[in-house]
Amino acid sequence: MKKYLLPSLMAVSVAAVCHVQAAAWDEPLRPSQSDFGGVGLLQTPTARMAQEGEFSLNYRDNDQYRFYSVSMAVFPWLEASVRYSDVRTRRYSSSASFSGDQTYKDKAFDFKLRLWQEDYWLPEVAAGTRDLAGTGLFDSEYLVASKAWGPLDFTLGIGWGYIGNGGNIKNPFCRYDDKFCRRRNVSGSTTAVNGDELFKGPASIFGGMEYQTPWQPLRLKLEYEGNDYRDDYAGQLAQRSRINVGAIYRLSDWADINVGYQRGDTLTFGVTLHTNFNQLHTPHFDQAKPEWRPQPQAAILQHTVVASQLMALKYNAGFDAPNLQIKQRTLYVTGEQVKYRDTQEGVDRANLILINHLPADIDTLRVTQTRYNLPQVTTETQVSSLYQQLDGYPLGHEQPLQQRRIDPVETGKTEQGYYIEKDRFSYGLAPVLNQSFGGPESFYMYQAGIGGHADYWLSRQLLVGGGFFADVTNNYDRFKYDGRPADSALPRVRTHIRDYVKNDFYLNNLQMNGFRYLGNGIYAQLYGGYLETMYGGAGAEVLYRPLDSRWAVGLDANYVKQRDWDNMMRFTRYRASTGHLTAYWQPGFMDDVLVKMSVGQYLAQDKGGTLDISKRFASGVSVGAYVTLTNVSREEYGEGDFTKGFYISVPMELFTATHNRGKARIGWEPLTRDGGQMLMRKHRLYDMTSDRDINFR
């Protein structure tokens, strides 16, 4: 039945297309995803890249495998994918008491790099790898080219490893060295980078085409694959044909469904959900920007007018606890921007609020932004220039606004001053969902509960705060072991995680922080208490961050003790000194990219460095990845070889009807080990001083 079902469906679809007029779509359809995740045909990749910021969630299903993948177009020339593969024909382990009847799960990381962009004569060219840092079940490398001709997009490539198992050509690298003629089977070994086997073993030519039908939601795919499925991890798979066919239908601008007929006997089905982080936008309810209606007040400020200005600064311009002062011929405003991610919007609104009721002798406006009572930046505007801009210039005589950002200005003793006092106490409650994937007892483990936090300012520089978690429901009763690594000689600084999360109620943190701006772009903090779920202690941090500079440097030092998972108000005997020197750099040749390099000592007393690279998109969403290498050997570290992970930071205003500057961060490490683990500090000075970057959103 399967053998004839999909060709029949495709024939019906094509026949229907002949009787349907082409729909009018505003935008061309995005490149489609392959079965493995990442832009491609079915089993094989193409050289096409999705638009920068494209984020796809993919699910594919057939008799032997289920593929769950996330694909991200980080740059126009770089695609990264993370994939979990469910091998339906194998058990997770041979011990039913350990993993029950759960099927085997494999995780993998794929990358594709565009080498050449398509032009009139030449095709698009890309190189890529599958399962580079996974267990090696599908490890492959490829070089592929794609060329469009009308509604047809042709692809031709050469693959090694899983993609090239058929060996329909001789590996071209064998001409240079015989070692490229053989490929070691590393399937299922570790989550390490399998760099030693790149471009080795059999090679195959693969190719195909994708056809955009006259009915725009429907596309058809045809491919010739280079894999012969010999020694496949799912078992002996018959391959009656190397020709695969498929169809993809666009349900909406955020969802595709697809079907395929592969190997001459296998039906596949899949769904893709996608969005673009550069195009995400949520309409917000907001007060209109103040209109230009000048009504100057006297040199001695009028109480009722100033009160109205302070309220407008807080609720219209977004400045919490605004402070309005006059000194000589300058009017100063200080406050914390809590509303707009684009802080220039708040400054523009503040200037309008001030200039509408400005004493005649004022010639300069200075608006200073703070965070955590730390001054960040002062925006200085010349009143005469602002008047001219608001009144309008004669045609052809326009001038730029005389405005500049300078290091924060302390007003000192002033002649007049009014303010709205800052709330010393704040608190909040929110639902919390802790999740993990790929465990031996169950693929999906969860814990749902309530999280709360409270903060109290003892003074302008001294903050006391804490947070708690209360469990409501979880499936942690499935835990069969305590997470102890059998292949690591390191102290267990992180692998007690299961012992901690089994508590029904615990304090995440309870600490005191002292913050200080030392001037000239230097910030400092001292802190002590329960610093995170697993550790308590004391530490200090100092940061040098020049205003609107592409670089900064920070140093932190900490002495901590491990919290007792049986009684989290107490400590175990383990203690450690840990700290790092961190350099921050925003490359001028890559927009909205932040590179962080930290070197120092980690919680297990190992020494090394962490490289963290993140990309921020127009919506404010940031995506990043990090790797940590230390002086711990592979044998001491255990499975995985080194610490690595991914994270995504999402502005909360994408989910709310009003503007706000809150963010939620989701992180994922494919395997939690004890080497290369940092202290998870609640407050980090670089994040707290983001307003010193003119491009931050």
Side-chain angles (χ1 to χ4, degrees):
M1 180 67 180
K2 290 182 180 178
K3 184 174 181 180
Y4 303 102
L5 178 59
L6 186 65
S8 300
L9 289 174
M10 294 182 66
V12 172
S13 300
V14 173
V17 166
C18 296
H19 296 85
V20 177
Q21 292 184 347
W25 290 69
D26 295 333
E27 297 289 340
L29 295 183
R30 54 176 56 85
S32 59
Q33 298 281 303
S34 71
D35 289 356
F36 285 86
V39 175
L41 294 171
L42 293 109
Q43 290 286 315
T44 60
T46 68
R48 299 300 177 196
M49 308 291 286
Q51 286 185 339
E52 182 184 64
E54 191 79 8
F55 179 80
S56 300
L57 292 172
N58 307 295
Y59 169 74
R60 299 293 187 271
D61 194 325
N62 62 39
D63 289 343
Q64 294 80 32
Y65 293 102
R66 295 188 187 97
F67 296 117
Y68 308 86
S69 64
V70 175
S71 182
M72 179 78 214
V74 185
F75 301 104
W77 44 267
L78 177 64
E79 174 187 87
S81 301
V82 180
R83 179 178 60 259
Y84 265 104
S85 302
D86 180 4
V87 186
R88 305 173 74 167
T89 59
R90 284 180 176 259
R91 296 297 182 201
Y92 192 96
S93 75
S94 58
S95 174
S97 62
F98 175 62
S99 55
D101 60 355
Q102 184 186 183
T103 53
Y104 183 81
K105 305 298 190 298
D106 171 73
K107 49 184 171 287
F109 309 93
D110 304 346
F111 301 94
K112 181 165 69 175
L113 179 69
R114 187 177 68 195
L115 304 178
W116 182 270
Q117 192 167 6
E118 182 181 21
D119 59 23
Y120 185 81
W121 296 107
L122 296 177
E124 190 129 323
V125 180
T129 177
R130 283 183 182 167
D131 219 342
L132 177 66
T135 53
L137 297 191
F138 308 103
D139 61 325
S140 308
E141 305 81 49
Y142 58 86
L143 180 66
V144 62
S146 296
K147 189 75 177 76
W149 183 47
L152 298 173
D153 193 27
F154 295 95
T155 290
L156 183 65
I158 178 174
W160 295 261
Y162 189 80
I163 294 177
N165 269 344
N168 58 32
I169 63 168
K170 184 178 180 180
N171 187 340
F173 291 108
C174 287
R175 298 179 181 178
Y176 302 100
D177 197 319
D178 288 343
K179 70 179 182 180
F180 286 101
C181 298
R182 296 172 299 278
R183 190 182 188 102
R184 182 170 55 92
N185 185 1
V186 296
S187 295
S189 57
T190 68
T191 55
V193 176
N194 307 318
D196 294 340
E197 302 303 313
L198 296 179
F199 303 104
K200 292 182 178 179
S204 287
I205 295 293
F206 64 86
M209 68 175 183
E210 182 171 324
Y211 170 56
Q212 173 63 66
T213 69
W215 187 29
Q216 195 161 16
L218 179 66
R219 284 171 287 176
L220 305 178
K221 295 183 176 184
L222 174 72
E223 74 172 3
Y224 172 82
E225 63 172 319
N227 186 12
D228 64 0
Y229 297 93
R230 64 187 179 191
D231 301 323
D232 196 275
Y233 196 73
Q236 292 291 333
L237 302 184
Q239 186 183 45
R240 299 180 181 179
S241 172
R242 290 196 181 183
I243 303 295
N244 302 326
V245 294
I248 180 170
Y249 180 79
R250 185 182 186 184
L251 289 173
S252 69
D253 61 354
W254 55 268
D256 297 333
I257 58 172
N258 60 79
V259 292
Y261 189 68
Q262 302 179 21
R263 302 198 304 272
D265 64 356
T266 301
L267 182 67
T268 65
F269 168 79
V271 177
T272 293
L273 306 179
H274 37 68
T275 188
N276 192 294
F277 289 157
N278 275 325
Q279 300 169 7
L280 282 178
H281 175 71
T282 301
H284 294 105
F285 295 105
D286 195 11
Q287 296 183 34
K289 184 177 287 190
E291 295 183 5
W292 167 227
R293 292 179 179 176
Q295 296 177 342
Q297 59 179 314
I300 302 299
L301 298 179
Q302 303 171 39
H303 295 183
T304 55
V305 174
V306 173
S308 176
Q309 287 180 307
L310 289 173
M311 294 297 288
L313 286 169
K314 181 171 183 176
Y315 295 107
N316 190 295
F319 285 95
D320 184 46
N323 188 327
L324 190 152
Q325 299 169 287
I326 287 181
K327 186 176 183 180
Q328 297 176 355
R329 298 176 63 85
T330 300
L331 190 151
Y332 297 86
V333 165
T334 302
E336 180 174 355
Q337 179 54 252
V338 296
K339 185 177 180 181
Y340 296 108
R341 288 192 299 112
D342 181 0
T343 58
Q344 186 61 42
E345 176 70 18
V347 171
D348 292 343
R349 287 174 176 247
N351 281 341
L352 272 168
I353 292 167
L354 299 175
I355 204 168
N356 271 336
H357 303 282
L358 195 66
D361 60 341
I362 299 298
D363 60 16
T364 304
L365 302 178
R366 284 180 170 174
V367 178
T368 299
Q369 297 166 202
T370 67
R371 291 188 74 183
Y372 290 90
N373 289 331
L374 294 172
Q376 307 274 306
V377 59
T378 295
T379 303
E380 182 182 88
T381 307
Q382 297 302 314
V383 170
S384 58
S385 177
L386 184 57
Y387 271 133
Q388 288 179 317
Q389 187 177 78
L390 293 172
D391 285 332
Y393 290 95
L395 186 63
H397 295 274
E398 295 82 0
Q399 296 291 328
L401 177 65
Q402 294 180 30
Q403 185 179 83
R404 60 176 183 152
R405 286 164 54 94
I406 59 177
D407 275 314
V409 176
E410 296 287 346
T411 58
K413 188 176 181 180
T414 60
E415 299 149 6
Q416 301 182 70
Y418 299 87
Y419 62 92
I420 296 178
E421 189 169 2
K422 181 181 179 69
D423 291 333
R424 290 196 169 201
F425 180 69
S426 62
Y427 67 93
L429 293 172
V432 176
L433 178 62
N434 298 319
Q435 306 173 86
S436 64
F437 298 89
E441 301 96 333
S442 176
F443 176 69
Y444 179 67
M445 304 291 284
Y446 69 89
Q447 182 184 44
I450 300 295
H453 69 88
D455 294 297
Y456 183 77
W457 287 95
L458 298 174
S459 69
R460 285 190 58 81
Q461 283 82 37
L462 202 58
L463 174 66
V464 175
F468 71 87
F469 175 80
D471 178 68
V472 175
T473 183
N474 63 67
N475 64 347
Y476 289 166
D477 58 325
R478 300 184 184 182
F479 282 157
K480 296 293 194 304
Y481 79 113
D482 65 358
R484 180 187 301 274
D487 56 354
S488 174
L490 295 173
R492 296 186 63 189
V493 298
R494 287 296 182 203
T495 52
H496 278 294
I497 178 63
R498 293 189 171 199
D499 297 312
Y500 287 100
V501 299
K502 285 191 291 187
N503 287 286
D504 293 331
F505 179 90
Y506 55 86
L507 288 176
N508 286 313
N509 58 78
L510 179 61
Q511 65 187 73
M512 180 179 292
N513 283 74
F515 305 110
R516 191 68 181 267
Y517 175 57
L518 303 177
N520 297 317
I522 301 175
Y523 295 82
Q525 67 163 324
L526 298 172
Y527 45 88
Y530 297 111
L531 302 179
E532 53 143 289
T533 304
M534 298 187 190
Y535 289 90
E541 181 187 14
V542 63
L543 173 75
Y544 175 56
R545 185 172 189 174
L547 180 64
D548 294 331
S549 174
R550 291 188 176 274
W551 64 273
V553 61
L555 176 67
D556 68 275
N558 312 274
Y559 178 76
V560 296
K561 294 182 178 181
Q562 189 176 47
R563 297 173 68 179
D564 188 338
W565 47 90
D566 292 325
N567 182 352
M568 293 182 64
M569 303 304 292
R570 303 177 65 179
F571 297 94
T572 69
R573 294 183 178 181
Y574 185 78
R575 58 197 63 193
S577 298
T578 179
H580 293 82
L581 176 67
T582 302
Y584 306 85
W585 178 45
Q586 300 178 56
F589 54 87
M590 299 175 74
D591 292 337
D592 299 317
V593 171
L594 175 63
V595 179
K596 293 190 291 186
M597 183 66 204
S598 301
V599 293
Q601 182 163 285
Y602 296 83
L603 287 170
Q605 305 295 281
D606 47 334
K607 299 176 178 64
T610 297
L611 177 64
D612 183 315
I613 302 177
S614 60
K615 164 72 175 177
R616 187 177 68 246
F617 298 94
S619 64
V621 174
S622 294
V623 175
Y626 58 89
V627 295
T628 298
L629 299 175
T630 72
N631 58 350
V632 172
S633 67
R634 289 188 173 188
E635 292 73 23
E636 291 176 299
Y637 186 92
E639 182 182 358
D641 290 355
F642 59 89
T643 296
K644 48 193 171 289
F646 304 85
Y647 59 89
I648 179 171
S649 175
V650 182
M652 294 306 297
E653 72 169 15
L654 292 176
F655 308 101
T656 61
T658 57
H659 289 285
N660 68 85
R661 302 190 73 187
K663 288 197 171 187
R665 173 172 163 141
I666 303 170
W668 179 67
E669 284 189 1
L671 187 65
T672 299
R673 306 295 281 187
D674 294 307
Q677 294 291 342
M678 284 185 173
L679 181 68
M680 297 179 184
R681 295 183 292 119
K682 180 179 180 180
H683 300 293
R684 297 177 182 269
L685 288 175
Y686 190 84
D687 297 331
M688 296 166 62
T689 58
S690 58
D691 291 342
R692 288 183 68 81
D693 178 6
I694 192 173
N695 296 313
F696 180 78
R697 298 289 185 270

